[in-house]
């Protein structure tokens, strides 16, 4: 099995550090948004001392340009300071290897919001699925049908992925599994819309969004991005998915809270809740009258 989390390039040049022109660095399809407050903080630190950790870049074959792998906030800080060059480590990486490096560098820092963590773990899982899929399956690996067929084709491999991802990121295997599952439910269009919004850092809100179908997710995310609503429940009302005041009656408010908690449960926890609910229903249900008792009552 190929290790999707391996950071070894094959073949790879020895890592070396040089001063590189900022104008020669390409920034392509980054997974995280730049936090301007963080950029300003780094710029202030650099202006008073120096860059403590070089950025990482990958050589672009056939050109004198490089592509950013890790360190976009540091790079933006140098731009803010008007610097022309920056210290960088250059490696020879494929596009997939570059993606792995970006994901790994961000995951191990443990400073991602909920949405970023979902996207990074999900992207890593997709790379894993492609690298470990049986080539005889063929087909369009980007299609929904192919993903559904191969998503759990080898549970042992997925278990290995979760354990290795947990070891490297310091997250639990359960968190890795739930995060990967949530990534599969979230619409890519909705994810693009809510990046940078308040709910991007709220796991419960993202879980609620993931329970809707793709079109509803896109509508809700669009309303939140446009600041027409600041949470999922309000966006559902604005979209007309539920009536004003919500679909829950005043006397059913406790049930609404329970519903939100159930959405965050694992399969085993939900099954345990179902068993408790069935036991409670049985206790509250009056015993049925026998047919003989009914006839006696009629006489």
């Amino acid at each position: 099995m190929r290790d999707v989390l391996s950071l070894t390039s094959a073949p790879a040049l020895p890592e070396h550090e040089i001063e590189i022109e900022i104008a020669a660095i390409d920034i392509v399809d980054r997974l995280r948004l730049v936090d301007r407050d963080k950029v300003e903080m780094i710029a202030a630190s650099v202006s008073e001392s120096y860059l403590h950790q070089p950025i990482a870049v990958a050589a672009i074959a056939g050109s004198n340009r490089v592509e950013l792998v890790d360190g976009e906030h540091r790079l933006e800080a140098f731009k803010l300071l008007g610097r022309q060059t920056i210290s960088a480590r250059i490696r020879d990486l494929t596009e997939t290897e570059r993606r792995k490096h970006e994901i790994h560098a961000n995951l191990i820092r443990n400073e991602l919001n909920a949405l970023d963590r979902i996207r990074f773990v999900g992207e890593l899982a997709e790379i894993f699925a492609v690298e470990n899929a049986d080539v005889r399956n063929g087909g369009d690996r980007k299609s929904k049908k192919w993903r559904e067929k191969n998503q759990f084709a080898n549970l042992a491999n997925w278990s290995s992925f979760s354990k290795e991802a947990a070891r490297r990121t310091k997250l639990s295997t359960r968190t890795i599994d739930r995060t990967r599952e949530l990534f599969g439910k979230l619409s890519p269009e909705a994810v693009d819309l809510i990046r940078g919004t308040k709910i991007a850092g709220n796991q419960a809100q993202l879980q609620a969004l993931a329970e809707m179908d793709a079109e509803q997710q896109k509508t809700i995310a669009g309303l939140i991005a446009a600041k027409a609503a600041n949470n999922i429940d309000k966006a559902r009302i604005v979209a007309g998915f539920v009536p004003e005041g919500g679909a829950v009656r005043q006397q059913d408010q406790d049930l609404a809270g329970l519903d939100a908690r159930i959405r965050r449960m694992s399969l085993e926890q939900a099954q345990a809740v179902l068993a408790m609910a069935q036991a409670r229903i049985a206790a509250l249900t009056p015993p049925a009258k026998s047919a003989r008792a009914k006839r006696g009552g009629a006489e």
Side-chain angles (χ1 to χ4, degrees):
M1 182 183 71
R2 300 178 66 180
D3 180 9
V4 73
L5 291 158
S6 172
L7 299 184
T8 302
S9 308
L13 295 173
E15 208 171 70
H16 58 287
E17 183 180 328
I18 65 170
E19 282 290 316
I20 190 169
E21 290 187 5
I22 290 175
I25 302 173
D26 292 337
I27 302 175
V28 181
D29 193 23
R30 303 293 291 175
L31 291 172
R32 286 185 75 184
L33 295 177
V34 170
D35 183 335
R36 300 313 304 181
D37 290 339
K38 184 175 181 180
V39 169
E40 292 176 4
M41 181 180 66
I42 294 173
S45 175
V46 169
S47 66
E48 294 177 359
S49 55
Y50 58 93
L51 183 64
H52 295 278
Q53 182 178 0
I55 65 172
V57 296
I60 298 178
S63 76
N64 59 356
R65 301 190 63 79
V66 295
E67 183 176 339
L68 182 68
V69 174
D70 176 41
E72 188 171 7
H73 284 90
R74 281 164 277 165
L75 179 60
E76 290 300 320
F78 267 60
K79 291 180 180 179
L80 183 63
L81 292 170
R83 305 287 180 86
Q84 301 301 309
T85 63
I86 189 171
S87 296
R89 291 194 178 103
I90 301 181
R91 296 195 67 189
D92 184 24
L93 303 170
T94 66
E95 182 61 26
T96 298
E97 288 169 336
R98 186 202 66 76
R99 202 70 161 173
K100 289 181 189 178
H101 274 261
E102 180 189 356
I103 292 169
H104 184 272
N106 281 279
L107 280 174
I108 61 176
R109 289 189 185 122
N110 198 31
E111 57 184 26
L112 302 175
N113 64 28
L115 181 62
D116 283 338
R117 184 177 296 108
I118 289 166
R119 295 180 70 244
F120 276 99
V121 171
E123 290 272 355
L124 202 58
E126 287 198 340
I127 295 173
F128 175 87
V130 171
E131 291 192 342
N132 290 278
D134 186 346
V135 294
R136 292 173 297 176
N137 287 340
D140 177 9
R141 296 188 175 189
K142 292 184 178 180
S143 70
K144 181 179 179 182
K145 183 178 180 181
W146 186 91
R147 290 198 306 270
E148 289 175 348
K149 180 180 179 181
N150 292 278
Q151 183 73 10
F152 298 103
N154 191 327
L155 293 178
N157 279 4
W158 279 121
S159 176
S160 176
F161 168 84
S162 297
K163 289 178 181 178
E164 184 64 10
R167 183 182 72 81
R168 290 179 180 268
T169 62
K170 308 304 181 185
L171 299 171
S172 68
T173 55
R174 182 184 175 196
T175 297
I176 294 295
D177 288 337
R178 291 178 64 182
T179 300
R180 180 167 59 84
E181 180 184 359
L182 190 52
F183 176 81
K185 290 181 178 180
L186 285 170
S187 157
E189 292 83 1
V191 168
D192 288 340
L193 287 167
I194 61 174
R195 291 179 71 187
T197 68
K198 185 177 180 180
I199 74 166
N202 189 314
Q203 182 83 13
Q205 289 283 292
L206 295 174
Q207 184 71 52
L209 181 65
E211 296 303 322
M212 304 176 191
D213 63 46
E215 284 303 314
Q216 287 184 330
Q217 286 186 36
K218 185 176 179 180
T219 300
I220 294 298
L223 290 169
I224 291 172
K227 298 184 178 179
N230 59 9
N231 61 51
I232 300 298
D233 286 341
K234 290 182 180 178
R236 292 175 68 206
I237 294 171
V238 174
F241 295 157
V242 296
E244 182 66 34
V248 182
R249 298 174 299 171
Q250 184 65 35
Q251 60 267 38
D252 293 334
Q253 289 299 319
D254 287 344
L255 291 177
L258 180 61
D259 178 64
R261 294 182 62 185
I262 289 175
R263 290 176 184 273
R264 297 193 293 272
M265 291 180 181
S266 66
L267 175 60
E268 292 77 11
Q269 289 174 321
Q271 288 172 333
V273 170
L274 175 60
M276 287 188 286
Q278 289 173 332
R280 181 59 178 161
I281 291 170
L284 293 173
T285 302
K289 293 182 179 181
S290 66
R292 182 176 180 182
K294 289 181 179 179
R295 286 198 299 272
E299 293 174 355

